[in-house]
Amino acid sequence: EQHESQKPDTKSLVRQMHEAYLKHFHMNKAKARVFLTGKTSTPPFVIHDMDTLQHAERKLHTQLLGNVASGDASSLQEREVEARLFLFCQYASVETVTELTEFAKAVPGFAALDLNDQVTLLKYGVYEALFALLASCMNKDGLLVARGGGFITREFLKSLRKPFSDMMEPKFQFAMRFNALELDDSDLALFVAAIICCGDRPGLSDVSHIERIQESIIHALRLQLLSNHPDNALLFPKLLQKLADLRQLVTEHAELVQEINKTEDASLHPLLQEIYRDMY
Amino acid sequence: SHTLQEKHKILHKLLQNGNT
């Protein structure tokens, strides 16, 4: 394995994925930890109740909602708090899906795949990847939002009315277990690539091509973990287990979103609609 | 199939866009 890790193609794959990750994701674990540990001159604004949420909406409007049309924005304040938070989540998700798409294209071999297979890999992979990345923005007390401008407390999210109160708690529980593995951004880059390039998504046409890409990423991930975490020999199998946990997390999340979509007056962004439709 | 792309027009467009 010592010898294997010296192979230039694996080393360059590790480096390439790390660079693409830093290039395409505006937030990463190193940046998030600076905000979460208070080592910044501009600490995030803490959102812990309705008043602080309203204050944050005025203060962080662009970071929370991106370039939402001004008409939508002006009617937003009339909507209930749960619907507004659901909308912020959606905009953050759309942004991350866009970043993940660019990151996926940087995985060697991905762009050469049949376009239908690229669509399928993203459809099934983006939410698993999103929740893995979200863990970097979480600690036991809350979640960093609006590019580090805000911090929503876990208690406030739990205090929302049902079914919205059930939205984030499972992600916190996953994040606490996942963060205990102490991965850094160079590990996460390969982990996210492994999530996306997964040969057993439903309806893939060129499975063997995807499995070859997957194999090279998993191989690189194993060697990366051995060299970056030499004292934790079980990290690689533990991380493979997290892939299964993420799949379960997404299945439950998709069910909850379908329920909200059916029973609440909360419209779903067209990109997210595409992803959820006929998913599981 | 063709319908997969049609059902995922935005994803498809994101994939075909160059780096912005």
Side-chain angles (χ1 to χ4, degrees):
Chain A
E1 276 166 0
Q2 277 295 314
H3 176 73
E4 265 188 304
S5 67
Q6 302 306 313
K7 271 166 81 177
D9 54 342
T10 300
K11 270 184 149 180
S12 89
L13 181 60
V14 172
R15 200 187 52 243
Q16 243 179 302
M17 289 297 85
H18 189 197
E19 282 171 4
Y21 172 98
L22 294 176
K23 179 180 173 193
H24 294 298
F25 298 110
H26 71 263
M27 185 52 78
N28 56 52
K29 191 164 181 177
K31 263 195 217 172
R33 293 297 124 178
V34 171
F35 286 106
L36 289 170
T37 54
K39 289 175 186 140
T40 163
S41 55
T42 51
F45 180 79
V46 179
I47 302 164
H48 61 91
D49 59 11
M50 301 297 172
D51 285 344
T52 45
L53 176 66
Q54 275 181 354
H55 186 89
E57 284 174 311
R58 287 191 296 272
K59 192 177 140 91
L60 302 168
H61 185 266
T62 320
Q63 295 95 316
L64 284 168
L65 275 177
N67 299 319
V68 65
S70 54
D72 295 348
S74 60
S75 63
L76 200 62
Q77 283 307 316
E78 295 157 25
R79 308 192 62 177
E80 70 165 332
V81 59
E82 281 80 1
R84 277 154 37 213
L85 281 166
F86 188 59
L87 198 63
F88 301 148
C89 281
Q90 288 193 50
Y91 276 93
S93 304
V94 167
E95 192 175 39
T96 308
V97 170
T98 308
E99 293 175 341
L100 278 162
T101 307
E102 291 306 317
F103 175 74
K105 288 190 227 171
V107 176
F110 181 89
L113 289 169
D114 171 75
L115 212 43
N116 281 312
D117 282 354
Q118 293 184 35
V119 168
T120 301
L121 291 179
L122 285 175
K123 178 186 180 76
Y124 288 95
V126 285
Y127 266 97
E128 291 174 19
L130 193 152
F131 293 142
L133 293 171
L134 190 64
S136 298
C137 296
M138 287 176 154
N139 62 23
K140 68 176 174 43
D141 299 317
L143 160 67
L144 201 63
V145 294
R147 303 197 167 211
F151 179 82
I152 304 190
T153 66
R154 188 173 177 177
E155 281 306 314
F156 179 51
L157 292 166
K158 258 163 111 170
S159 76
L160 302 173
R161 74 169 170 84
K162 275 195 173 270
F164 296 96
S165 54
D166 298 330
M167 178 78 81
M168 294 311 289
E169 192 51 28
K171 282 75 172 177
F172 278 106
Q173 285 166 10
F174 169 80
M176 292 312 101
R177 295 192 303 269
F178 189 66
N179 288 345
L181 301 179
E182 298 186 316
L183 301 185
D184 68 17
D185 285 309
S186 61
D187 310 323
L188 284 167
L190 287 163
F191 185 62
V192 170
I195 290 172
I196 294 168
C197 298
C198 171
D200 69 351
R201 304 299 189 191
L204 288 172
S205 61
D206 193 353
V207 172
S208 64
H209 186 174
I210 295 157
E211 282 178 345
R212 278 201 301 280
I213 300 174
Q214 183 178 17
E215 240 167 71
S216 65
I217 294 165
I218 295 282
H219 178 69
L221 176 62
R222 192 168 64 85
L223 297 179
Q224 160 71 11
L225 296 176
L226 284 171
S227 84
N228 205 21
H229 305 263
D231 302 328
N232 192 349
L234 290 177
L235 189 53
F236 179 66
K238 280 182 186 168
L239 206 47
L240 294 185
Q241 177 56 43
K242 295 297 167 210
L243 292 173
D245 295 351
L246 280 164
R247 206 172 277 208
Q248 181 61 25
L249 195 63
V250 170
T251 309
E252 285 163 15
H253 179 79
E255 281 168 12
L256 186 63
V257 170
Q258 307 286 14
E259 185 192 332
I260 290 175
N261 210 20
K262 255 190 269 169
T263 59
E264 304 287 335
D265 175 32
S267 58
L268 200 56
H269 188 285
L271 173 60
L272 306 182
Q273 277 184 39
E274 280 186 8
I275 294 170
Y276 287 123
R277 193 183 300 134
D278 310 320
M279 192 188 205
Y280 289 117
Chain B
S1 68
H2 190 56
T3 53
L4 186 78
Q5 286 179 33
E6 279 176 358
K7 282 185 181 169
H8 299 85
K9 280 191 180 136
I10 307 174
L11 261 188
H12 186 234
K13 203 173 148 197
L14 285 175
L15 278 165
Q16 295 217 294
N17 278 350
N19 282 356
T20 46

